[in-house]
Amino acid sequence: MLNISKIQAISLDLDDTLWPVWPTISRAEVVLQDWLALHAPQTAELCADPEMKKRIRAEVSQRHADKTHDLSFLRRESIRESLIRAGDAPQLADAAFEVFFAERQNVTLYGGVEQALARLSKRYPLVGLSNGNADVFRTAAGPFFKASLSAQSFGVAKPDMRIFHAAAALLNVPAESVLHLGDDAHADVMGAINAGMQTAWVNTQGHDWPHDSAQPLTVGHLADLCDHLLA
């Protein structure tokens, strides 16, 4: 159980903790494909093949193995590589990525999350902590956050303890005074524990606990956690 008396701040994962990520990515892919159909039709035809898209992304990721934490870079360079292979202008990659990225921020919060964040933020400063490239301040969750940190901007991804410590530093509190909340049992939960934080597993997908260690406090929804923290 949590030691509530020690909690001074809360860090939160974003994708699949505050909103479902894959419907958002799917919509952004459609918007990007529609844009390519207008501005780079040969690339649109190439990218209509999902296996080809997957192959290009894998090759780009392998070529830039030092950028695995930077999903925006990998997405942009995958678009650029697709343009080159299709014979379209590679300089269109930046504009194409911005079309994708804008839609990627058009998330739909899980039901009750906005109200939960409003309640939590009245007592604790909140910091976003994500391996993804969502910008929480461009979403409906943004007004409740004091700060946000991504693997892309920091240079390493969860579960590396350095990014957890950096998130705590943004709020000027020690790591042991932070409660981290997230959906990934390894990157979020074990990462936070190894960084010296308290943690709770926001298990929105109903997964089984995959580790031999004791399962932490687990909730199916962020709103359920408010009952533990704000009772």
Side-chain angles (χ1 to χ4, degrees):
M1 295 299 293
L2 303 178
N3 187 339
I4 296 174
S5 65
K6 289 188 175 182
I7 299 171
Q8 298 179 33
I10 297 176
S11 59
L12 296 104
D13 174 58
L14 304 179
D15 292 328
D16 285 334
T17 297
L18 303 185
W19 55 73
V21 65
W22 290 113
T24 304
I25 298 297
S26 296
R27 289 195 306 271
E29 293 272 12
V30 170
V31 170
L32 172 60
Q33 184 70 7
D34 290 345
W35 188 92
L36 290 172
L38 289 175
H39 300 279
Q42 295 178 135
T43 305
E45 184 176 354
L46 180 75
C47 292
D49 180 353
E51 289 303 314
M52 176 60 70
K53 283 175 60 177
K54 187 184 300 183
R55 190 178 312 129
I56 290 173
R57 181 62 179 260
E59 291 175 6
V60 169
S61 297
Q62 185 175 23
R63 188 184 311 151
H64 300 283
D66 60 327
K67 294 285 189 178
T68 56
H69 62 279
D70 192 339
L71 299 184
S72 291
F73 174 88
L74 295 176
R75 172 73 64 173
R76 186 184 295 108
E77 292 312 305
S78 294
I79 294 170
R80 194 182 314 278
E81 181 65 23
S82 299
L83 289 162
I84 291 170
R85 292 194 186 191
D88 287 317
Q91 58 266 32
L92 290 173
D94 291 338
F97 172 76
E98 289 305 323
V99 168
F100 171 88
F101 192 64
E103 186 62 25
R104 194 264 185 267
Q105 313 310 318
N106 186 21
V107 301
T108 301
L109 301 181
Y110 288 122
V113 161
E114 190 167 353
Q115 294 84 349
L117 291 172
R119 292 180 64 192
L120 292 172
S121 65
K122 287 180 180 178
R123 180 174 297 186
Y124 304 103
L126 307 182
V127 58
L129 183 55
S130 178
N131 283 354
N133 59 357
D135 180 353
V136 72
F137 295 111
R138 292 171 65 173
T139 75
F144 307 108
F145 283 78
K146 295 289 187 183
S148 186
L149 185 64
S150 68
Q152 174 182 319
S153 63
F154 185 66
V156 299
K158 297 175 293 184
D160 192 304
M161 68 175 64
R162 290 174 293 175
I163 195 171
F164 289 95
H165 293 163
L170 284 176
L171 299 179
N172 296 309
V173 296
E176 58 267 25
S177 297
V178 177
L179 170 66
H180 180 71
L181 310 174
D183 73 288
D184 191 304
H186 178 62
D188 287 305
V189 177
M190 299 307 297
I193 290 172
N194 291 334
M197 294 178 172
Q198 294 191 71
T199 187
W201 189 24
V202 185
N203 186 16
T204 59
Q205 307 302 310
H207 296 305
D208 292 330
W209 178 245
H211 297 288
D212 293 332
S213 58
Q215 184 170 338
L217 173 66
T218 301
V219 296
H221 188 287
L222 188 64
D224 299 334
L225 192 68
C226 293
D227 297 334
H228 292 272
L229 295 178
L230 307 176

